[in-house]
Amino acid sequence: MGLTVLSVLSLFLLNITLCCGDAQDAELSLKPNVSHLFAGESVTFICDMREGNATDWFYKFNWNDQEMVHFTKSSSYSLYLTAELSGNYQCIGRRNGLKDFTKQSNNLTLSISAHRPTATITADKTTVPVGGSVTLTCSVQGSAGWTYDWFRQIPDSREVAINTNSLQNFISVSDEGIYQCRGRRGNPVFFTNLSKVYHIQKTLSNRAFVTLQQNWTQIFSGEMITIKCEIQGGENTEWQYEWRTTSSKTPPTHSEYNISRASFTYNGQYWCKEIQVIRNEEPDQMITVTQGGIYYCKGGRGNPVFFTEDSDPITIEKRVSNKAVVSLEPSWPLIFSGEKITVRCQISLGRRTEWEYEWSKPDSSTGLANNASINLNASVISSGSYRCMGKNKQELYSVTEWSDVITLTVSGNRPKTSISADSRVLPEGDTVTLTCSVTLSTPGWSFYWYRGKKTSEPLTMAEVVLHSDGQIGVSQEGDYWCRGGRGNPVYYTDYSDVISIKKTVRNRPAVTLHPNWPEVYSRETITLKCEIPGEDTEWDYEWATSSSHQPPNQNEYKINSVSTSHRGHYWCKGRMRSAQQNSTMWSASFQLKIVYNKPRPVLTVSPSWLSPGASVTLNCEVEHPSAGWSFYWYKAVHDLKTYSYEYYIYELLPDGSGTAQDSYIIHGQTHTAGYVCRAGRGDPEYHTDHSQPKFVWSADLNSAASLTVSPNSVQHFIYDSVTLNCSGNSSQWRIMIFTQHGYLRKLRECGNWGIMTESTCNIDLDWYHRYHRYPVYWCESESGQFSNGINITARFTGVILVSPVHPVNEGDSVALGCKLRTGNFNSTVAFYKNGKLIQNDDREKLNIPAVSKSDEGFYKCEYSGHESPQSLMSVKGSRSSLSVSLITGLVSGVSLILLLSLLLCCWHKKPKGTLCIRPAQSQETSQTAATVQTMSQDENQQQIYSSLLHGDMNVYESCRPSENTGGRTDDYRNISLQLRSVGQRGKRDDPEETSDYHNVDPNSATESCRSFQTCHCWM
């Protein structure tokens, strides 16, 4: 009996273990390594598999998911760029000799400009100082990786390259001339356009100084003095002189100014400048000048020379590098008539220089001024553009460039403020927030607040709560207004309109949703209610909403078919019907969220594989399961007349309409079947979409609809010819496949993965088994019958085990074979059952003359170091023998448990205690347990066997008190033993819900054996 108990209990330990692994990613890089490129450049893509040698792989390159280069042995690819080639690039590697082993790289995004870029040249200054240099900088905006070429041109000569392929983007030059640059990069070299020309000039070192010959610190009236104009560095140059003075005297035009008798009229400042005779008695009538000044010329001929009159003078100004900048103080974008404003001219790097300023103003007038600023009392005519430039007082012909223009905009209308409140109803003990703003949004304003009459003084900070500049909180009712002011002296806006704040009653309404579901779906029926505390008061109601539908002025707003146009925020308030001036404050905002798409529940079935007569547990999962859902259960029947494999007719299951529970148990299931669920709630009832069909498969053949495979083997090679055949009570068939790959699951008909001819389908194993795992095949007839389900696996190379697809009958003769992809066996072949060696010789087959239950298990073969996958050979015993063995085992197990329970109960002597022994279960498993209430003894045994075979059953005891206690509290209680089928209710797309029937790990029984624990049940 002990052996029988162990054999029965061992059936409970079957489990499934799945293993998987991840491959390291490939890497795609670019040379040159830049992201922004230009049409005409060439780049090279380099694909690194980051595994093994480069020669171990074939490489393919894609552009925007389109194949650009098919698999080759080269890991790099060079491309000449055009603007149309912008986009994403990726490489894919395929292992040499393994067509199904591929790796994908990262995506590289290239942005390719259609136009060739132009280099930009800049300089730290425009003239070369005496003995100094100028730094030129070259750049290509928006890109990197360039080297640079430099060019210089002087008058009457060709352009000359002075530096090429320089890594630095700057050079220092000390010679005047015209300079240009360009960028280059890549191989072959790609050039930018040449930059614009940049002129560099040299400055003269000559400078004039005014000196007093006597060098006295004080001059007395009547003394004789001499003032000289001396030019440093110009001793060998012929000069003419010009003087300027603030005195009332006019100096001469030569280098010395002799004053024979000094007087007060000579007081003042004196400047001089040189007038250089540039060229004398030369026939060329053209000269080139590089200095600022006043130039004129005259002609002469004959001997003695006869001169013409001097020409009209022409003024040449020397532009200095100092930059003039105009600014407004205050720098407001809009000025109002009557405000005070200052326009200021600032010259950079010019603090040690005395400047005269020239202004260009809106009235088009220009003029010199000693002041760097203009003070304005703004008016409309002050509007316009202002700019300035500076002139060096010591070097009158040295001037800055004109500054950039700054525009002054003056409005002739005095601005007005507007006032608003977050509520015009003041709750008792609370505050209302007031906001003041200038209608023309401009900065710099401070705000002044008033309450009562307009003659009142502004409110003080003691009377309000300051939230921010322009916002206050008030706690008194009354009439409020405001105005703004800015500047010094303060310029005021007009007053705002008046806003009235009234006190409210204490009651605070609330907007509530009925039914109170966490999510509302489009076309459901809902009601929004405005609930106000205080039953004895009659209210009139008012609603506000941000949606496009205005609720009626009632306490309830019923929406019969809600839509996305109803979503938004809702507020309500009440006004006393007997005293309309008294109202509540607005309720807090209630946000109504509408989900546009119908929800779709997720259906799970347990077990996935069954034996005839087994019970099936359906679980229907909806997001927010506690939100009032009822559930509907259907059987999916395929309608071949629609010519659409996705279309099923849904037949309502018995008692499957509007169940409160989210689970449904089907007893006595004998064949493969598909099921669907959906949920509904509300009045009128709103229904979700139907779930995707889920299937439970039977491995046993039946006469109405059967699926067979030729060759009759679970395992095949990828390139084998495999045919599926449907037979039964129908003339029209469709063969279906269910596959899963990770979290992706698909349902397809033959025609997508094979060739269908009447009732047969030739399988394309090379395509479908490359991308999918655990495929299940079955037939569907025109009359809606489903056949048995089968598993087929495929591999590329090595060896496979040839084993029957369907369960075999006890007593049948079975031959298991070992098969090579190519070639013949020339050494020993080993066969294993449940991991143990059972035959090791030169035979290619394992013959079992009369199969018994002891032969059931997982088989595999091994040859020359190559091992096949393992497959389950299932043995169907006769009903009598199976019943006897199972009944014997169950009776023995129950007797042992009862004996232990009674002994422990006696030992503990608890008044209402019994002892239960149960296998440990996960929380999810225990929650979905469903009691199998009615079964014949033979059906019980068959279901237990099937469920244990597929890992879908746990057994535990439930302890119940006897219906008749007889008045004694210490009697031993009757114990009833029940088997409960546990549906492995998983989460959405749980990969643990496998459809693989034949490839199960037998070693998982060890872990299941550890899961038993002892517990006490107290009544």
Side-chain angles (χ1 to χ4, degrees):
M1 181 177 69
L3 293 176
T4 305
V5 173
L6 291 176
S7 66
V8 172
L9 293 178
S10 66
L11 295 177
F12 293 102
L13 308 181
L14 189 59
N15 204 349
I16 298 175
T17 302
L18 302 178
C19 298
C20 61
D22 296 325
Q24 189 180 16
D25 292 335
E27 181 180 22
L28 179 65
S29 57
L30 186 70
K31 186 176 181 182
N33 187 19
V34 293
S35 59
H36 192 82
L37 297 154
F38 300 91
E41 288 194 273
S42 295
V43 296
T44 299
F45 296 96
I46 301 171
C47 190
D48 184 4
M49 290 293 106
R50 301 170 68 181
E51 179 182 343
N53 297 321
T55 56
D56 296 338
W57 300 84
F58 288 94
Y59 302 87
K60 181 173 77 170
F61 293 87
N62 290 346
W63 167 66
N64 289 341
D65 297 326
Q66 299 179 8
E67 185 178 279
M68 189 167 55
V69 178
H70 194 60
F71 285 109
T72 65
K73 291 186 177 180
S74 176
S75 62
S76 62
Y77 175 65
S78 296
L79 182 64
Y80 179 81
L81 300 181
T82 61
E84 294 78 13
L85 292 177
S86 293
N88 295 323
Y89 290 81
Q90 186 184 45
C91 71
I92 299 174
R94 187 182 70 197
R95 192 82 178 197
N96 192 2
L98 297 174
K99 290 185 178 180
D100 61 337
F101 191 85
T102 60
K103 292 175 63 174
Q104 295 183 346
S105 76
N106 54 296
N107 281 323
L108 274 183
T109 302
L110 299 189
S111 176
I112 304 171
S113 297
H115 303 290
R116 185 181 296 268
T118 299
T120 302
I121 188 170
T122 57
D124 60 346
K125 44 184 172 288
T126 57
T127 57
V128 180
V130 177
S133 63
V134 172
T135 299
L136 301 177
T137 303
C138 190
S139 61
V140 181
Q141 186 175 7
S143 56
W146 302 94
T147 58
Y148 299 91
D149 300 335
W150 295 91
F151 304 90
R152 174 174 173 258
Q153 182 180 6
I154 57 176
D156 304 326
S157 70
R158 297 186 60 185
E159 185 178 77
V160 177
I162 58 175
N163 197 350
T164 58
N165 203 21
S166 172
L167 293 176
Q168 293 181 331
N169 70 330
F170 62 90
I171 61 170
S172 294
V173 298
S174 56
D175 296 321
E176 64 180 0
I178 300 172
Y179 290 85
Q180 285 181 285
C181 71
R182 70 179 178 187
R184 64 157 72 189
R185 72 179 180 189
N187 185 16
V189 177
F190 174 81
F191 293 101
T192 68
N193 293 323
L194 282 169
S195 68
K196 294 181 178 180
V197 298
Y198 205 96
H199 294 266
I200 299 297
Q201 296 179 332
K202 276 191 173 181
T203 61
L204 291 177
S205 60
N206 310 88
R207 186 170 183 184
F209 293 91
V210 176
T211 60
L212 181 64
Q213 184 174 359
Q214 287 75 15
N215 198 24
W216 298 329
T217 58
Q218 193 172 12
I219 308 297
F220 296 96
S221 180
E223 287 189 291
M224 180 182 291
I225 58 174
T226 301
I227 301 174
K228 285 187 175 182
C229 183
E230 297 179 350
I231 300 173
Q232 293 183 353
E235 293 81 3
N236 299 324
T237 305
E238 186 178 352
W239 302 98
Q240 292 181 0
Y241 299 87
E242 183 178 333
W243 290 84
R244 290 185 62 209
T245 180
T246 59
S247 72
S248 59
K249 300 295 184 179
T250 301
T253 58
H254 45 77
S255 62
E256 292 186 359
Y257 182 16
N258 295 311
I259 303 174
S260 59
R261 187 177 178 83
S263 67
F264 289 108
T265 58
Y266 290 97
N267 282 345
Q269 292 180 314
Y270 289 80
W271 298 270
C272 75
K273 67 178 180 180
E274 70 278 13
I275 301 176
Q276 181 182 0
V277 179
I278 300 174
R279 188 172 294 173
N280 192 16
E281 297 181 5
E282 293 188 14
D284 194 352
Q285 65 185 95
M286 294 179 59
I287 62 171
T288 300
V289 296
T290 59
Q291 284 185 294
I294 300 175
Y295 291 84
Y296 54 88
C297 66
K298 63 182 177 180
R301 68 180 180 185
N303 189 8
V305 178
F306 172 81
F307 290 100
T308 67
E309 296 288 337
D310 290 342
S311 69
D312 293 331
I314 184 171
T315 302
I316 302 298
E317 292 180 332
K318 176 183 176 182
R319 300 294 185 185
V320 296
S321 61
N322 306 76
K323 177 71 174 176
V325 178
V326 178
S327 60
L328 294 179
E329 297 177 5
S331 58
W332 299 325
L334 179 62
I335 310 298
F336 298 96
S337 182
E339 289 193 282
K340 305 295 183 182
I341 196 77
T342 298
V343 186
R344 190 175 303 280
C345 185
Q346 293 178 313
I347 299 177
S348 62
L349 304 176
R351 294 183 179 178
R352 296 182 180 180
T353 305
E354 293 187 29
W355 299 95
E356 286 184 340
Y357 298 89
E358 185 172 346
W359 288 91
S360 172
K361 296 185 289 185
D363 57 4
S364 299
S365 64
T366 59
L368 290 174
N370 288 325
N371 294 330
S373 61
I374 303 174
N375 295 318
L376 299 174
N377 186 6
S379 63
V380 176
I381 62 173
S382 304
S383 297
S385 300
Y386 290 78
R387 63 175 183 166
C388 71
M389 65 183 296
K391 292 190 175 184
N392 193 326
K393 286 186 177 180
Q394 284 73 37
E395 299 179 18
L396 288 182
Y397 301 105
S398 294
V399 297
T400 68
E401 297 279 356
W402 281 102
S403 69
D404 293 332
V405 169
I406 191 169
T407 300
L408 176 63
T409 304
V410 181
S411 172
N413 299 320
R414 184 178 294 270
K416 184 177 180 178
T417 52
S418 63
I419 189 171
S420 61
D422 63 344
S423 174
R424 297 201 181 193
V425 178
L426 178 62
E428 217 173 296
D430 207 341
T431 62
V432 169
T433 299
L434 303 180
T435 302
C436 189
S437 60
V438 179
T439 51
L440 293 173
S441 180
T442 54
W445 298 102
S446 297
F447 295 94
Y448 303 85
W449 297 90
Y450 305 86
R451 182 179 64 238
K453 298 180 180 180
K454 285 193 176 181
T455 57
S456 60
E457 293 294 322
L459 296 175
T460 63
M461 290 301 101
E463 298 176 274
V464 298
V465 177
L466 182 64
H467 293 326
S468 63
D469 195 16
Q471 272 194 345
I472 62 170
V474 297
S475 56
Q476 295 184 38
E477 65 179 359
D479 295 333
Y480 289 85
W481 66 90
C482 67
R483 67 173 175 171
R486 69 180 183 182
N488 187 15
V490 178
Y491 172 85
Y492 291 101
T493 69
D494 285 338
Y495 288 101
S496 71
D497 295 330
V498 174
I499 189 170
S500 297
I501 303 299
K502 303 290 185 182
K503 278 193 174 181
T504 65
V505 294
R506 285 181 175 272
N507 307 68
R508 180 73 183 266
V511 177
T512 57
L513 174 66
H514 301 270
N516 188 19
W517 295 325
E519 281 189 344
V520 178
Y521 297 96
S522 183
R523 303 188 70 179
E524 286 196 281
T525 297
I526 60 168
T527 300
L528 295 177
K529 291 185 179 181
C530 183
E531 298 180 349
I532 304 175
E535 297 291 338
D536 299 331
T537 306
E538 292 186 355
W539 301 95
D540 289 331
Y541 296 88
E542 184 178 341
W543 290 83
T545 180
S546 62
S547 75
S548 57
H549 298 270
Q550 179 61 38
N553 290 331
Q554 300 171 359
N555 68 322
E556 290 189 2
Y557 176 31
K558 185 174 182 180
I559 308 174
N560 290 318
S561 181
V562 73
S563 66
T564 53
S565 63
H566 289 96
R567 63 187 171 194
H569 293 270
Y570 289 80
W571 301 265
C572 75
K573 72 175 182 178
R575 191 176 300 276
M576 284 187 180
R577 191 167 295 173
S578 59
Q580 288 289 307
Q581 72 277 11
N582 294 332
S583 65
T584 69
M585 63 186 301
W586 284 102
S587 69
S589 169
F590 176 82
Q591 185 177 9
L592 179 60
K593 300 178 180 179
I594 308 297
V595 180
Y596 176 76
N597 295 321
K598 267 193 174 186
R600 168 166 283 182
V602 175
L603 177 66
T604 57
V605 297
S606 178
S608 297
W609 288 89
L610 52 79
S611 292
S615 295
V616 177
T617 300
L618 309 180
N619 289 101
C620 195
E621 182 181 347
V622 185
E623 192 173 6
H624 305 295
S626 62
W629 297 105
S630 297
F631 297 90
Y632 297 81
W633 310 91
Y634 303 88
K635 185 175 183 180
V637 178
H638 198 147
D639 184 8
L640 294 182
K641 297 179 181 179
T642 62
Y643 299 99
S644 171
Y645 71 90
E646 293 183 352
Y647 187 80
Y648 284 87
I649 297 174
Y650 301 143
E651 295 180 355
L652 195 65
L653 292 172
D655 299 324
S657 177
T659 66
Q661 301 297 324
D662 61 355
S663 62
Y664 183 90
I665 300 175
I666 302 170
H667 299 287
Q669 181 65 40
T670 57
H671 303 303
T672 298
Y675 297 98
V676 171
C677 75
R678 71 170 176 172
R681 68 181 182 186
D683 183 20
E685 192 169 28
Y686 168 85
H687 294 100
T688 69
D689 282 338
H690 290 88
S691 69
Q692 293 289 349
K694 286 295 179 71
F695 295 87
V696 57
W697 295 286
S698 170
D700 289 333
L701 298 172
N702 67 82
S703 58
S706 296
L707 175 62
T708 57
V709 59
S710 177
N712 182 19
S713 177
V714 175
Q715 299 179 25
H716 301 270
F717 289 109
I718 284 294
Y719 302 107
D720 286 349
S721 175
V722 177
T723 301
L724 302 177
N725 184 67
C726 299
S727 60
N729 302 329
S730 181
S731 60
Q732 187 175 355
W733 298 92
R734 193 175 297 269
I735 299 179
M736 306 298 295
I737 185 174
F738 171 81
T739 62
Q740 61 183 44
H741 185 71
Y743 290 98
L744 181 64
R745 301 180 177 190
K746 290 186 178 180
L747 184 67
R748 293 288 186 266
E749 64 170 320
C750 177
N752 293 285
W753 42 270
I755 300 174
M756 188 75 185
T757 305
E758 294 182 353
S759 61
T760 62
C761 178
N762 295 318
I763 303 177
D764 184 3
L765 293 176
D766 183 27
W767 166 253
Y768 222 78
H769 287 271
R770 184 191 299 267
Y771 300 105
H772 300 85
R773 299 173 62 189
Y774 312 129
V776 182
Y777 301 86
W778 72 95
C779 299
E780 294 179 359
S781 71
E782 183 180 14
S783 59
Q785 294 290 330
F786 286 29
S787 75
N788 57 295
I790 63 171
N791 280 129
I792 296 177
T793 63
R795 66 186 316 189
F796 283 92
T797 58
V799 297
I800 61 173
L801 178 72
V802 179
S803 62
V805 173
H806 306 288
V808 297
N809 293 318
E810 193 171 14
D812 289 350
S813 175
V814 176
L816 304 180
C818 200
K819 182 179 178 182
L820 288 171
R821 171 75 178 89
T822 56
N824 299 316
F825 293 98
N826 52 21
S827 62
T828 59
V829 178
F831 288 89
Y832 296 85
K833 175 191 174 186
N834 295 336
K836 294 182 179 180
L837 182 65
I838 58 175
Q839 178 177 304
N840 188 18
D841 51 30
D842 58 355
R843 289 177 292 173
E844 300 175 11
K845 292 186 178 182
L846 173 64
N847 294 307
I848 306 175
V851 174
S852 66
K853 289 297 294 182
S854 62
D855 294 315
E856 186 174 74
F858 293 89
Y859 290 83
K860 65 180 179 180
C861 67
E862 181 184 11
Y863 171 73
S864 188
H866 296 283
E867 190 176 89
S868 74
Q870 63 180 4
S871 290
L872 171 68
M873 185 180 74
S874 177
V875 178
K876 294 193 300 182
S878 63
R879 297 179 64 87
S880 58
S881 61
L882 178 61
S883 300
V884 170
S885 61
L886 287 177
I887 291 173
T888 304
L890 286 173
V891 170
S892 302
V894 171
S895 300
L896 177 61
I897 293 171
L898 288 174
L899 180 61
L900 290 173
S901 300
L902 294 174
L903 289 175
L904 288 174
C905 287
C906 291
W907 180 61
H908 283 289
K909 296 182 179 180
K910 297 292 183 180
K912 292 186 179 181
T914 58
L915 175 68
C916 305
I917 300 177
R918 67 180 181 189
Q921 310 175 62
S922 68
Q923 185 178 359
E924 290 182 359
T925 302
S926 64
Q927 288 176 347
T928 57
T931 303
V932 181
Q933 298 175 349
T934 56
M935 281 190 185
S936 66
Q937 187 180 57
D938 186 63
E939 287 174 339
N940 266 327
Q941 295 165 351
Q942 183 66 15
Q943 181 179 351
I944 295 168
Y945 164 76
S946 174
S947 299
L948 293 176
L949 185 64
H950 296 95
D952 292 318
M953 178 73 78
N954 281 327
V955 176
Y956 64 90
E957 294 177 358
S958 64
C959 303
R960 298 183 179 177
S962 173
E963 295 297 333
N964 183 12
T965 62
R968 295 181 56 184
T969 59
D970 56 350
D971 287 346
Y972 296 112
R973 308 298 186 194
N974 292 332
I975 299 175
S976 61
L977 176 65
Q978 291 185 340
L979 296 177
R980 293 198 175 184
S981 172
V982 180
Q984 297 180 351
R985 181 180 178 186
K987 298 179 180 177
R988 292 189 179 185
D989 298 324
D990 190 345
E992 297 296 331
E993 291 184 9
T994 181
S995 57
D996 189 8
Y997 176 87
H998 293 279
N999 298 294
V1000 183
D1001 186 0
N1003 298 322
S1004 62
T1006 304
E1007 294 300 322
S1008 297
C1009 192
R1010 299 184 185 133
S1011 67
F1012 278 86
Q1013 64 181 9
T1014 302
C1015 71
H1016 294 273
C1017 299
W1018 305 105
M1019 302 181 190

